[in-house]
């Protein structure tokens, strides 16, 4: 039987390849299979129902921070994003020797200056729109090992160190294009757009000790500890020196900055034959924790989800499309057949208005069983093309195509049959048994020897939106069956 099954797969593949030259695929199968068997191949199509579902929140596992507020010109909905970043240190980090330090006040080591820089690799909106943010010092670290969703509030959970206790609360107005920099600097290949937040005001630590600025606090936490344990690794640094900062939009509209790396820089002078200007950088990279808080316009999102003229895919943490697979119909009169292919094409509806600020189209969709959504992302799974599938947007056809998810259809039917065998009410108790979600995702591939391997799938937290044919209009799933018939 195993040999027959392999023959079926090969024949069907060959049949699709040769169809353009010879439509008589049934004769092809009969001519190759053993004389005692006849391979019957058949096809059928079935209607598929879809609807929009609101994503209350998504797992915010991303190294990119999002900061700003925009209005989607197509849907009119507002999106606000704030983010938290920790800062890490290199293993066993060292400042220059204490006796080489030149920057001192009354014999005590000080920092000449201290800043946070938020580097921008992409943005949405008008680069000259004025925005204002506030940088808040955290009073305690946001711990690893917990799943933080996009609706998680750093403020509501008590992480902000209050100003009454000496916590930093620094406002910063900015435009994406920093007009304080000259044109030559901005046009330099080495220049990266960034938001610069100075931390040069007097700082009071948790023990009530005063410093002339935050950088001086960081340096003295190093030099006043003979073991230097707080700088041995990022965990110690985050838990004993700097828990991190939360960056929140205060005012402004029309810009969303994509922060790919954040830096905490401490500037000082030291001697090494001559006086040298030094800088120590503590970076917010993928080795430390970041969280993004998304605030959607719930009224507009609800209105879109109720629109049955189609379905929506909207990020970040906006709307998914739900699809109900007609499993019972697919298996009706085909209980003994093998399903070799199940294919569906999702067609995008073009924007009703042409605006230079229309949001991007989601690049990749994940098909996942509805009840498996949270487990998939929390367990950091990747698409295995057995019960989770990826489809990329094709601009040439304006579609997403899931070419073959027959394994998922079979899995659903098997679960239903087993469930109904023990409980006649099984289907009613499991209303999502044949439903999947189409979720916008960001993927990471590692390429070795010209071969790309999928290594990471996370929720797409960037700004994107599209409308798909569906809702009141059924989609179509195309199914290919095969069956051996003994002709003795």
């Amino acid at each position: 039987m195993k040999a027959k099954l392999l023959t079926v797969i090969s024949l069907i593949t060959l049949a699709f390849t040769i169809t353009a030259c010879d439509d008589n695929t049934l004769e092809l199968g009969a001519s190759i299979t053993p004389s005692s068997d006849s391979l019957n191949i058949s096809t059928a199509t079935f209607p598929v129902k879809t609807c929009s579902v609101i994503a209350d929140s998504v797992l915010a596992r991303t190294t990119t921070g999002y900061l700003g507020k925009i209005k989607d010109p197509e849907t009119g909905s507002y999106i606000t994003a704030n983010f938290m970043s920790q800062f890490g240190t290199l293993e066993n980090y060292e400042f220059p020797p204490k006796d080489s330090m030149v920057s001192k006040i009354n014999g005590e080591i000080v920092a000449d200056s201290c800043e946070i820089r938020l580097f921008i690799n992409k943005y949405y909106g008008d680069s000259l729109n004025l925005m204002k943010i506030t940088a808040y010092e955290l009073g305690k670290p946001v711990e690893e090992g917990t799943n933080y969703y996009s609706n998680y509030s750093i403020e509501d959970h008590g992480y902000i160190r209050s100003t009454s206790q000496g916590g930093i609360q620094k406002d910063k107005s900015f435009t994406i294009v920093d007009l304080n920099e000259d044109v030559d600097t901005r046009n330099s290949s080495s220049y990266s757009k960034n938001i610069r937040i100075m931390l040069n005001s007097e700082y009071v630590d948790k023990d009530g000790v005063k410093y002339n600025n935050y950088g001086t606090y960081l340096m003295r936490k190093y030099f006043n500890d003979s073991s230097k344990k707080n700088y041995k690794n990022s965990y110690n640094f985050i838990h004993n020196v700097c828990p991190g900062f939360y960056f929140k939009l205060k005012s402004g509209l029309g810009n969303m900055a994509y922060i790919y790396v954040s830096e905490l820089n401490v500037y000082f002078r030291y001697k090494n034959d001559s006086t040298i200007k030094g800088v120590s950088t503590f970076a917010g990279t993928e080795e430390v924790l970041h969280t993004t808080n998304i605030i959607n316009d719930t009224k507009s999102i609800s209105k879109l989800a109720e629109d049955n003229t189609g379905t929506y895919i909207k990020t970040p943490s906006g709307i998914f499309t739900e699809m109900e697979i007609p499993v019972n119909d697919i298996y009706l009169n085909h209980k003994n057949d093998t399903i070799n292919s199940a294919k569906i094409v999702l067609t995008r509806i073009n924007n009703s208005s042409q605006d230079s600020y229309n949001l991007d189209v989601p690049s990749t969709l994940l098909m996942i069983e509805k009840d498996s959504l949270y487990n998939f992302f929390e367990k950091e799974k990747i698409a295995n093309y057995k019960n989770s599938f990826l489809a990329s947007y094709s601009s040439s056809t304006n579609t997403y195509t899931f070419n073959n998810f027959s394994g998922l259809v079979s899995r659903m039917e098997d679960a239903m049959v087993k469930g109904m065998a023990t409980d006649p009410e099984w289907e009613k108790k499991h209303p999502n048994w044949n439903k999947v979600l189409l979720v916008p995702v960001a993927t990471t591939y590692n390429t070795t020897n010209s071969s790309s391997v999928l290594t990471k799938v996370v929720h797409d937290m960037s700004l994107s939106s599209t409308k798909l044919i569906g809702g009141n209009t059924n989609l179509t799933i195309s199914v290919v069956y095969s069956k051996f018939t003994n002709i003795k």
Side-chain angles (χ1 to χ4, degrees):
M1 190 61 182
K2 182 178 180 181
K4 290 182 180 180
L5 180 58
L6 292 174
T7 302
V8 171
I9 296 171
S10 300
L11 288 174
I12 290 173
T13 302
L14 184 60
F16 280 124
T17 304
I18 300 178
T19 297
C21 301
D22 183 359
D23 292 332
N24 196 351
T25 56
L26 296 184
E27 289 185 8
L28 173 68
S31 66
I32 297 177
T33 54
S35 58
S36 61
D37 292 327
S38 175
L39 175 63
N40 294 321
I41 301 173
S42 60
T43 63
T45 59
F46 303 92
V48 177
K49 296 178 180 179
T50 60
C51 65
S52 298
V53 295
I54 297 173
D56 173 63
S57 61
V58 297
L59 186 61
R61 183 175 283 138
T62 176
T63 57
T64 299
Y66 299 89
L67 187 60
K69 182 177 183 179
I70 65 102
K71 181 180 181 180
D72 180 354
E74 175 73 8
T75 64
S77 60
Y78 291 90
I79 303 169
T80 304
N82 311 299
F83 84 101
M84 182 283 300
S85 178
Q86 295 177 343
F87 299 92
T89 180
L90 297 175
E91 295 290 317
N92 297 310
Y93 179 79
E94 294 183 349
F95 279 92
K98 186 174 184 178
D99 58 9
S100 72
M101 286 293 175
V102 173
S103 301
K104 293 181 180 180
I105 295 178
N106 298 326
E108 292 286 337
I109 290 174
V110 297
D112 292 329
S113 182
C114 184
E115 68 179 13
I116 292 175
R117 286 189 187 250
L118 308 177
F119 288 94
I120 303 166
N121 65 341
K122 185 179 177 182
Y123 67 92
Y124 169 92
D126 186 336
S127 61
L128 295 179
N129 276 358
L130 183 64
M131 310 293 285
K132 190 173 186 179
I133 61 171
T134 302
Y136 295 92
E137 180 192 3
L138 300 188
K140 59 182 179 180
V142 180
E143 297 292 351
E144 295 271 7
T146 299
N147 293 314
Y148 298 101
Y149 280 76
S150 57
N151 61 353
Y152 187 84
S153 171
I154 296 294
E155 294 173 282
D156 292 348
H157 287 82
Y159 286 99
I160 303 298
R161 185 179 176 216
S162 69
T163 53
S164 62
Q165 297 175 340
I168 294 173
Q169 183 176 317
K170 186 76 172 180
D171 288 345
K172 171 67 179 180
S173 296
F174 71 95
T175 57
I176 297 295
V177 173
D178 188 354
L179 297 180
N180 293 316
E181 301 279 8
D182 61 70
V183 175
D184 289 340
T185 298
R186 297 201 306 267
N187 291 337
S188 169
S189 60
S190 61
Y191 178 76
S192 286
K193 296 180 179 66
N194 66 87
I195 304 167
R196 189 184 188 195
I197 304 167
M198 303 305 299
L199 303 179
N200 288 332
S201 300
E202 183 180 83
Y203 177 71
V204 181
D205 70 13
K206 293 179 180 179
D207 297 322
V209 180
K210 293 182 179 180
Y211 307 86
N212 68 312
N213 62 45
Y214 190 69
T216 298
Y217 158 75
L218 294 175
M219 294 182 73
R220 291 187 187 173
K221 289 290 283 187
Y222 174 85
F223 285 112
N224 293 345
D225 177 11
S226 60
S227 69
K228 307 295 186 288
K229 63 181 180 180
N230 292 334
Y231 287 77
K232 285 187 178 296
N233 53 57
S234 292
Y235 181 89
N236 288 356
F237 181 74
I238 291 167
H239 283 77
N240 301 321
V241 181
C242 175
F245 281 78
Y246 180 59
F247 306 95
K248 181 183 179 182
L249 179 76
K250 188 170 186 177
S251 63
L253 176 66
N255 254 323
M256 185 69 73
Y258 293 38
I259 311 297
Y260 72 98
V261 67
S262 50
E263 289 182 354
L264 175 59
N265 297 316
V266 181
Y267 296 92
F268 52 86
R269 287 163 293 142
Y270 67 101
K271 279 198 171 184
N272 186 2
D273 294 331
S274 61
T275 299
I276 299 172
K277 291 182 178 180
V279 57
S280 289
T281 297
F282 306 95
T285 61
E286 61 183 10
E287 283 77 23
V288 295
L289 187 64
H290 308 76
T291 66
T292 294
N293 172 244
I294 301 297
I295 303 171
N296 274 309
D297 181 349
T298 55
K299 185 176 180 180
S300 296
I301 291 291
S302 297
K303 185 177 179 180
L304 291 176
E306 293 168 0
D307 178 8
N308 291 325
T309 62
T311 65
Y312 286 88
I313 300 287
K314 191 170 180 60
T315 66
S317 182
I319 302 176
F320 302 153
T321 287
E322 178 183 294
M323 188 162 62
E324 185 175 347
I325 309 298
V327 177
N328 289 331
D329 293 340
I330 291 172
Y331 273 91
L332 184 66
N333 301 322
H334 291 279
K335 292 292 185 183
N336 297 319
D337 294 359
T338 297
I339 297 180
N340 299 100
S341 175
K343 175 182 177 180
I344 194 163
V345 178
L346 309 170
T347 302
R348 177 175 170 265
I349 299 174
N350 290 326
N351 292 344
S352 58
S353 63
Q354 297 302 315
D355 192 301
S356 59
Y357 290 119
N358 279 339
L359 300 185
D360 291 339
V361 178
S363 61
T364 308
L365 298 184
L366 169 75
M367 179 190 290
I368 184 75
E369 290 174 282
K370 187 173 183 178
D371 288 343
S372 298
L373 176 68
Y374 293 101
N375 180 267
F376 180 90
F377 289 102
E378 289 180 359
K379 298 298 183 183
E380 301 184 52
K381 296 181 180 181
I382 60 173
N384 58 16
Y385 295 92
K386 295 178 181 178
N387 49 29
S388 53
F389 307 81
L390 295 177
S392 297
Y393 172 66
S394 169
S395 58
S396 60
T397 60
N398 207 28
T399 60
Y400 302 87
T401 301
F402 290 95
N403 278 303
N404 189 1
F405 54 98
S406 57
L408 178 58
V409 177
S410 299
R411 170 192 171 99
M412 288 176 168
E413 197 268 346
D414 183 61
M416 184 272 296
V417 170
K418 291 179 179 178
M420 293 295 287
T422 58
D423 183 0
E425 300 293 314
W426 185 88
E427 278 195 54
K428 292 182 179 179
K429 294 177 181 179
H430 298 80
N432 297 328
W433 74 275
N434 62 339
K435 294 177 181 177
V436 297
L437 291 176
L438 305 177
V439 181
V441 294
T443 57
T444 301
Y445 289 85
N446 283 349
T447 302
T448 55
N449 299 324
S450 300
S451 177
S452 295
V453 178
L454 179 66
T455 58
K456 190 175 184 181
V457 178
V458 297
H459 284 287
D460 186 354
M461 300 293 289
S462 66
L463 294 171
S464 67
S465 181
T466 196
K467 187 177 182 180
L468 304 173
I469 291 177
N472 291 333
T473 303
N474 286 336
L475 305 185
T476 300
I477 183 172
S478 303
V479 180
V480 176
Y481 304 92
S482 65
K483 182 180 181 180
F484 277 106
T485 303
N486 192 296
I487 60 174
K488 282 186 178 181

